[in-house]
Amino acid sequence: AQKITQTQPGMFVQEKEAVTLDCTYDTSDPSYGLFWYKQPSSGEMIFLIYQGSYDQQNATEGRYSLNFQKARKSANLVISASQLGDSAMYFCAMREGHAGGGNKLTFGTGTQLKVEL
Amino acid sequence: GAGVSQTPSNKVTEKGKYVELRCDPISGHTALYWYRQSLGQGPEFLIYFQGTGAADDSGLPNDRFFAVRPEGSVSTLKIQRTERGDSAVYLCASSQSNTGELFFGEGSRLTVL
């Protein structure tokens, strides 16, 4: 089974609208971390947001928020007020186990987001 | 610069040749990671260093792949007897500690003809 599943290969959103990028995960480890990264065409992976499995609140970072539904094993990324510069590939990733063992991440296949005028 | 630096940015080689890819992490970052990203896929973990030692090399696909970090800073990923299937972007990331956020470089694109 895939550990990280991103079912949307491509998404379009109008500028200034909100968009949700889906991510589901599979692990039997009670301790894990979930990450979202943005990869523009330059190729660099840019960290956006992190959610720990024991965190009670959904993570937020500026225009990014993570809709964490533990029972459903989903960790969707919500981008509010989309901007043209948000056009990029977005990856969901998971670290299994406590971070003390290092941030060895398993990535999904990504969602290509295109923001339109 | 202040970010993770990877060289070369592009490398084209012939099947069977030896290749070295270099990663210069952010100064002071103790943890260093190598990932490989094939076309249309997410990055795939290869190896993780904490200081000079490889803390986890479970992602190295076979014994043709080897990585070193002799002084706990710069790391070199070495690929022997390259195969066409090794063609990918090799990403390096560093973090301040083994629990810290990963900062990625722009990658080295390897093409094996």
Side-chain angles (χ1 to χ4, degrees), chain A residues 78-104:
Chain A
V78 181
I79 306 174
S80 62
S82 297
Q83 302 171 357
L84 294 177
D86 294 335
S87 294
M89 182 71 91
Y90 288 80
F91 290 98
C92 179
M94 175 174 64
R95 180 204 67 241
E96 293 181 275
H98 191 269
N103 272 325
K104 171 183 172 182

Short mmCIF file of all heavy atoms in Angstrom, two decimals, chain A residues 78-104:
data_model
loop_
_atom_site.label_atom_id
_atom_site.label_comp_id
_atom_site.label_asym_id
_atom_site.label_seq_id
_atom_site.Cartn_x
_atom_site.Cartn_y
_atom_site.Cartn_z
N VAL A 78 -4.61 23.47 2.90
CA VAL A 78 -5.49 24.53 2.44
C VAL A 78 -4.66 25.79 2.22
O VAL A 78 -3.95 26.24 3.13
CB VAL A 78 -6.62 24.82 3.44
CG1 VAL A 78 -7.53 25.92 2.91
CG2 VAL A 78 -7.42 23.56 3.72
N ILE A 79 -4.72 26.33 1.01
CA ILE A 79 -4.05 27.59 0.71
C ILE A 79 -5.15 28.63 0.54
O ILE A 79 -6.04 28.50 -0.33
CB ILE A 79 -3.21 27.51 -0.58
CG1 ILE A 79 -2.23 26.34 -0.51
CG2 ILE A 79 -2.46 28.82 -0.81
CD1 ILE A 79 -1.45 26.11 -1.81
N SER A 80 -5.11 29.68 1.35
CA SER A 80 -6.13 30.72 1.23
C SER A 80 -5.59 31.86 0.37
O SER A 80 -4.37 32.03 0.22
CB SER A 80 -6.50 31.25 2.61
OG SER A 80 -5.35 31.83 3.23
N ALA A 81 -6.50 32.59 -0.24
CA ALA A 81 -6.14 33.78 -1.03
C ALA A 81 -5.00 33.48 -2.00
O ALA A 81 -3.92 34.09 -1.93
CB ALA A 81 -5.77 34.94 -0.11
N SER A 82 -5.24 32.55 -2.90
CA SER A 82 -4.18 32.09 -3.81
C SER A 82 -3.56 33.24 -4.59
O SER A 82 -4.25 34.20 -4.99
CB SER A 82 -4.76 31.08 -4.81
OG SER A 82 -5.22 29.94 -4.14
N GLN A 83 -2.26 33.09 -4.82
CA GLN A 83 -1.51 34.09 -5.58
C GLN A 83 -0.85 33.39 -6.78
O GLN A 83 -0.63 32.18 -6.76
CB GLN A 83 -0.42 34.71 -4.70
CG GLN A 83 -0.94 35.36 -3.45
CD GLN A 83 0.16 35.77 -2.49
OE1 GLN A 83 1.35 35.53 -2.72
NE2 GLN A 83 -0.23 36.43 -1.40
N LEU A 84 -0.53 34.18 -7.80
CA LEU A 84 0.08 33.60 -9.00
C LEU A 84 1.37 32.84 -8.63
O LEU A 84 1.69 31.81 -9.22
CB LEU A 84 0.38 34.68 -10.03
CG LEU A 84 -0.84 35.37 -10.63
CD1 LEU A 84 -0.43 36.48 -11.59
CD2 LEU A 84 -1.75 34.38 -11.34
N GLY A 85 2.08 33.36 -7.65
CA GLY A 85 3.33 32.71 -7.23
C GLY A 85 3.14 31.38 -6.52
O GLY A 85 4.11 30.68 -6.25
N ASP A 86 1.90 31.03 -6.24
CA ASP A 86 1.62 29.72 -5.62
C ASP A 86 1.65 28.60 -6.65
O ASP A 86 1.62 27.42 -6.28
CB ASP A 86 0.26 29.73 -4.92
CG ASP A 86 0.21 30.66 -3.73
OD1 ASP A 86 1.28 30.94 -3.13
OD2 ASP A 86 -0.90 31.12 -3.38
N SER A 87 1.67 28.93 -7.93
CA SER A 87 1.72 27.90 -8.97
C SER A 87 3.00 27.10 -8.84
O SER A 87 4.10 27.66 -8.92
CB SER A 87 1.65 28.55 -10.36
OG SER A 87 0.42 29.17 -10.57
N ALA A 88 2.86 25.81 -8.59
CA ALA A 88 4.01 24.94 -8.33
C ALA A 88 3.50 23.52 -8.13
O ALA A 88 2.29 23.27 -8.11
CB ALA A 88 4.77 25.39 -7.08
N MET A 89 4.45 22.60 -7.91
CA MET A 89 4.10 21.25 -7.51
C MET A 89 4.11 21.21 -5.98
O MET A 89 5.00 21.80 -5.35
CB MET A 89 5.14 20.26 -8.06
CG MET A 89 4.86 18.82 -7.76
SD MET A 89 3.46 18.18 -8.68
CE MET A 89 4.29 17.55 -10.11
N TYR A 90 3.13 20.53 -5.41
CA TYR A 90 3.02 20.43 -3.96
C TYR A 90 3.09 18.96 -3.55
O TYR A 90 2.38 18.11 -4.09
CB TYR A 90 1.71 21.04 -3.47
CG TYR A 90 1.72 22.55 -3.57
CD1 TYR A 90 1.48 23.18 -4.78
CD2 TYR A 90 1.99 23.34 -2.45
CE1 TYR A 90 1.53 24.56 -4.88
CE2 TYR A 90 2.03 24.73 -2.55
CZ TYR A 90 1.80 25.32 -3.77
OH TYR A 90 1.84 26.69 -3.88
N PHE A 91 3.97 18.70 -2.58
CA PHE A 91 4.17 17.33 -2.09
C PHE A 91 3.78 17.21 -0.63
O PHE A 91 4.16 18.04 0.20
CB PHE A 91 5.63 16.90 -2.24
CG PHE A 91 6.06 16.69 -3.66
CD1 PHE A 91 6.74 17.69 -4.35
CD2 PHE A 91 5.80 15.50 -4.30
CE1 PHE A 91 7.16 17.49 -5.66
CE2 PHE A 91 6.21 15.28 -5.61
CZ PHE A 91 6.89 16.29 -6.29
N CYS A 92 3.05 16.17 -0.34
CA CYS A 92 2.77 15.76 1.03
C CYS A 92 3.80 14.70 1.41
O CYS A 92 4.19 13.87 0.55
CB CYS A 92 1.36 15.19 1.09
SG CYS A 92 0.83 14.61 2.70
N ALA A 93 4.27 14.72 2.64
CA ALA A 93 5.28 13.75 3.07
C ALA A 93 5.04 13.35 4.51
O ALA A 93 4.42 14.10 5.29
CB ALA A 93 6.68 14.35 2.91
N MET A 94 5.55 12.19 4.87
CA MET A 94 5.37 11.67 6.23
C MET A 94 6.69 11.15 6.78
O MET A 94 7.48 10.53 6.05
CB MET A 94 4.35 10.53 6.23
CG MET A 94 4.17 9.85 7.58
SD MET A 94 2.83 8.64 7.59
CE MET A 94 3.44 7.43 6.42
N ARG A 95 6.90 11.41 8.06
CA ARG A 95 7.98 10.78 8.81
C ARG A 95 7.31 9.82 9.80
O ARG A 95 6.47 10.22 10.58
CB ARG A 95 8.79 11.82 9.59
CG ARG A 95 9.94 11.21 10.40
CD ARG A 95 10.34 12.08 11.56
NE ARG A 95 9.31 12.17 12.57
CZ ARG A 95 8.72 13.30 12.92
NH1 ARG A 95 9.04 14.46 12.37
NH2 ARG A 95 7.78 13.28 13.85
N GLU A 96 7.71 8.58 9.77
CA GLU A 96 7.19 7.60 10.72
C GLU A 96 8.13 7.49 11.91
O GLU A 96 9.35 7.48 11.73
CB GLU A 96 7.02 6.24 10.06
CG GLU A 96 5.95 6.23 8.98
CD GLU A 96 5.79 4.87 8.35
OE1 GLU A 96 6.55 4.58 7.41
OE2 GLU A 96 4.92 4.10 8.78
N GLY A 97 7.56 7.44 13.10
CA GLY A 97 8.40 7.37 14.28
C GLY A 97 8.72 8.75 14.78
O GLY A 97 8.42 9.78 14.14
N HIS A 98 9.36 8.77 15.92
CA HIS A 98 9.72 10.04 16.54
C HIS A 98 10.82 10.71 15.75
O HIS A 98 11.68 10.06 15.16
CB HIS A 98 10.19 9.79 17.98
CG HIS A 98 10.33 11.04 18.77
ND1 HIS A 98 11.51 11.75 18.84
CD2 HIS A 98 9.44 11.74 19.51
CE1 HIS A 98 11.34 12.82 19.60
NE2 HIS A 98 10.10 12.84 20.02
N ALA A 99 10.79 12.04 15.75
CA ALA A 99 11.77 12.79 14.96
C ALA A 99 13.20 12.58 15.45
O ALA A 99 14.14 12.87 14.73
CB ALA A 99 11.44 14.27 14.99
N GLY A 100 13.36 12.06 16.67
CA GLY A 100 14.71 11.83 17.17
C GLY A 100 15.52 10.90 16.29
O GLY A 100 16.74 10.89 16.34
N GLY A 101 14.83 10.11 15.47
CA GLY A 101 15.51 9.22 14.54
C GLY A 101 15.82 9.87 13.22
O GLY A 101 16.25 9.19 12.29
N GLY A 102 15.60 11.18 13.13
CA GLY A 102 15.87 11.86 11.87
C GLY A 102 14.61 12.05 11.05
O GLY A 102 13.64 11.30 11.20
N ASN A 103 14.64 13.04 10.18
CA ASN A 103 13.48 13.32 9.33
C ASN A 103 13.58 12.60 8.00
O ASN A 103 13.65 13.22 6.94
CB ASN A 103 13.31 14.83 9.14
CG ASN A 103 12.47 15.44 10.24
OD1 ASN A 103 11.53 14.82 10.73
ND2 ASN A 103 12.81 16.64 10.65
N LYS A 104 13.54 11.29 8.06
CA LYS A 104 13.50 10.46 6.85
C LYS A 104 12.06 10.49 6.37
O LYS A 104 11.16 9.99 7.04
CB LYS A 104 13.91 9.03 7.21
CG LYS A 104 13.71 8.01 6.13
CD LYS A 104 14.09 6.64 6.67
CE LYS A 104 13.73 5.53 5.72
NZ LYS A 104 14.08 4.21 6.29
#
